[in-house]
Amino acid sequence: MNASESLRMSLRAIRGHRLRAVLTTLGIVIGVAAVITFVTLGASLQTEVVGEITGEQSPAMQVVSGPASDGPGMSFGGSGQAVFTEHDVRELHDVQGVAEVIPSGGVAISGIRYGNQTLAYNRFTATTPPYFRYQTTAVFSSGEPFTMGERELVLNEPAATLFERNVTAGDTVTIVRPNGDTVNATVAGVVEAATGPFDDFAAPQVYGPVDPFYDTRLQSPTTGERQRVYPTLTVIASDFGIIQPTQERVLEYLRTESDARRLTPSAYEFSAITAQDVVDQVLSILDTFTAFITGVAVISLVVGAIGIANIMLVSVTERTREIGIMKAVGAQNRDVLELFLAEAVILGFVGSIAGVVVGVLGGYAATRYVGLPMTFPIVWAGVAVVVGVVVGVAAGLYPAWDAASTDPIDALRYE
């Protein structure tokens, strides 16, 4: 009996028990659909996050220090300790491949007053004007960056609309220090809000120049002078193509020659995080998520395989007399083996195809629900079909062998 004849007889047997075949493949359909749905959701989320993080970015790296045991988490926040002196900032400017070094730190306040209204606000960011030049999301809706040495501020739009009357460029606001002292400052500009990659929420932000607002100082171990020290540096490479070697040179300076090395506890280490590092960490998290979901879906595939094996054993029992007749007219054990194995493979194949269709629909619904553009990794459709066929072979092997080894005399006597 040739392969086409085995396939035809298998299809006829499946059509004879349509409902049973549908229920048998249900486990395969659920397992494959779950994998396809979550892989599609993960791929869509990955595309969106990577696009948000890398889109129109400057070749920047965020330099911080923190406990080595913090692992990847340290990369995003650092310790918050001010360890980078002005001497370090000047030296880093001279590192090969560095185009700009932007220090930043927090200035503690207790509130901001505009008109007759005072709002509680505990901290604003002190930095330098180039901060806005390298923040591609920092588009000024009015005004311009502040000037170093001047009592000026820049507010983002959520901060500018906190008051009953919106703050605009040229207005004067009053900063309330924690000790109650007040300082008047001119609003140099209002910048559009920058949202994060995961949502559309933008927090109110206020920025001011390090001179005259930021005054956290320590003695520089190298020069012996009291200098401003910063918890965070943004180092801009001169080109995207040299970010990695520049990153290595920056870290080399910090670990061997910098003031920060002598001001940082020995258990701490420096990190210079680029946009690519953040992308890699996000992808690692998504890969872990996908592996977990796949592991859960494998359980459904195992259940589906058991269902196919069970139904095939029932089919062998029901068709024992048919097997005896086949052997009586000359069919070989191999022919019987192919017949039942083909039936199991067809069930697995059809189940996986149906699972892919259901999974794509589920992925579309999931991405629409969370508001993401759908990205379907087509390679997973092929993987799902291969898995379905493998499950069919694994589930049908024993029942097919059992059918092939049936004695024809006993099979003809079977009632």
Side-chain angles (χ1 to χ4, degrees):
M1 188 167 58
N2 56 35
S4 61
E5 183 67 16
S6 297
L7 183 62
R8 188 185 64 80
M9 293 180 67
S10 298
L11 290 173
R12 186 182 62 186
I14 292 173
R15 285 197 299 268
H17 302 85
R18 288 187 177 87
L19 180 59
R20 188 169 74 180
V22 170
L23 295 176
T24 301
T25 58
L26 206 53
I28 305 296
V29 173
I30 293 173
V32 171
V35 172
I36 295 297
T37 296
F38 285 102
V39 165
T40 301
L41 183 59
S44 302
L45 181 61
Q46 174 180 322
T47 303
E48 180 71 6
V49 171
V50 171
E52 288 283 349
I53 293 176
T54 60
E56 300 180 354
Q57 291 289 316
S58 58
M61 63 194 81
Q62 201 80 2
V63 179
V64 295
S65 71
S69 58
D70 277 4
M74 182 197 72
S75 305
F76 292 107
S79 67
Q81 289 188 341
V83 295
F84 304 105
T85 65
E86 291 178 315
H87 171 77
D88 289 337
V89 173
R90 289 193 295 270
E91 291 296 312
L92 284 172
H93 265 293
D94 296 333
V95 171
Q96 183 182 355
V98 173
E100 187 66 73
V101 181
I102 304 170
S104 58
V107 177
I109 60 176
S110 59
I112 296 178
R113 183 183 304 155
Y114 177 58
N116 296 322
Q117 187 181 11
T118 303
L119 299 179
Y121 197 82
N122 61 359
R123 181 178 293 269
F124 72 84
T125 302
T127 183
T128 57
Y131 174 86
F132 301 101
R133 189 190 314 154
Y134 292 101
Q135 294 287 325
T136 55
T137 55
V139 178
F140 279 85
S141 56
S142 66
E144 57 187 10
F146 48 68
T147 303
M148 288 291 286
E150 301 293 334
R151 290 181 176 175
E152 295 179 343
L153 296 176
V154 168
L155 281 65
N156 70 350
E157 289 179 340
T161 56
L162 287 176
F163 300 90
E164 293 175 353
R165 185 164 57 91
N166 290 349
V167 179
T168 61
D171 290 343
T172 299
V173 299
T174 301
I175 298 170
V176 182
R177 300 277 194 183
N179 61 5
D181 293 344
T182 58
V183 178
N184 290 332
T186 303
V187 177
V190 176
V191 69
E192 292 181 359
T195 59
F198 300 101
D199 52 49
D200 295 330
F201 173 76
Q205 297 287 343
V206 178
Y207 306 91
V210 294
D211 180 17
F213 292 116
Y214 186 79
D215 200 35
T216 301
R217 295 174 184 269
L218 281 175
Q219 184 176 8
S220 167
T222 303
T223 66
E225 302 171 343
R226 282 185 60 79
Q227 299 180 347
R228 288 188 175 89
V229 286
Y230 306 96
T232 305
L233 300 179
T234 302
V235 177
I236 312 296
S238 56
D239 187 80
F240 273 104
I242 60 169
I243 284 184
Q244 186 175 355
T246 304
Q247 180 188 37
E248 294 172 356
R249 285 191 284 269
V250 167
L251 291 175
E252 177 67 18
Y253 165 76
L254 293 174
R255 290 165 181 162
T256 57
E257 306 175 37
S258 67
D259 285 346
R261 175 183 62 87
R262 299 167 66 177
L263 295 173
T264 301
S266 58
Y268 282 30
E269 65 179 18
F270 299 105
S271 57
I273 309 304
T274 66
Q276 185 58 49
D277 293 327
V278 177
V279 169
D280 290 342
Q281 291 183 4
V282 171
L283 294 183
S284 176
I285 295 172
L286 290 177
D287 288 344
T288 303
F289 170 75
T290 302
F292 171 75
I293 296 300
T294 303
V296 173
V298 165
I299 298 175
S300 181
L301 292 175
V302 171
V303 173
I306 294 174
I308 292 177
N310 183 48
I311 291 302
M312 291 306 301
L313 287 171
V314 171
S315 180
V316 169
T317 303
E318 290 176 346
R319 297 160 64 186
T320 300
R321 188 172 181 81
E322 179 185 343
I323 294 171
I325 294 173
M326 289 174 60
K327 290 192 172 183
V329 298
Q332 303 297 312
N333 289 349
R334 186 187 63 185
D335 299 327
V336 178
L337 183 74
E338 288 179 356
L339 179 64
F340 284 89
L341 197 56
E343 190 172 330
V345 170
I346 290 171
L347 290 175
F349 177 76
V350 172
S352 64
I353 293 294
V356 169
V357 174
V358 174
V360 170
L361 294 175
Y364 175 76
T367 52
R368 294 284 294 178
Y369 179 75
V370 298
L372 293 173
M374 179 174 168
T375 301
F376 176 58
I378 190 69
V379 66
W380 278 89
V383 172
V385 172
V386 171
V387 168
V389 171
V390 171
V391 168
V393 172
L397 204 55
Y398 174 74
W401 172 83
D402 186 46
S405 59
T406 301
D407 183 84
I409 303 300
D410 293 338
L412 289 172
R413 289 175 178 171
Y414 184 80
E415 295 292 340

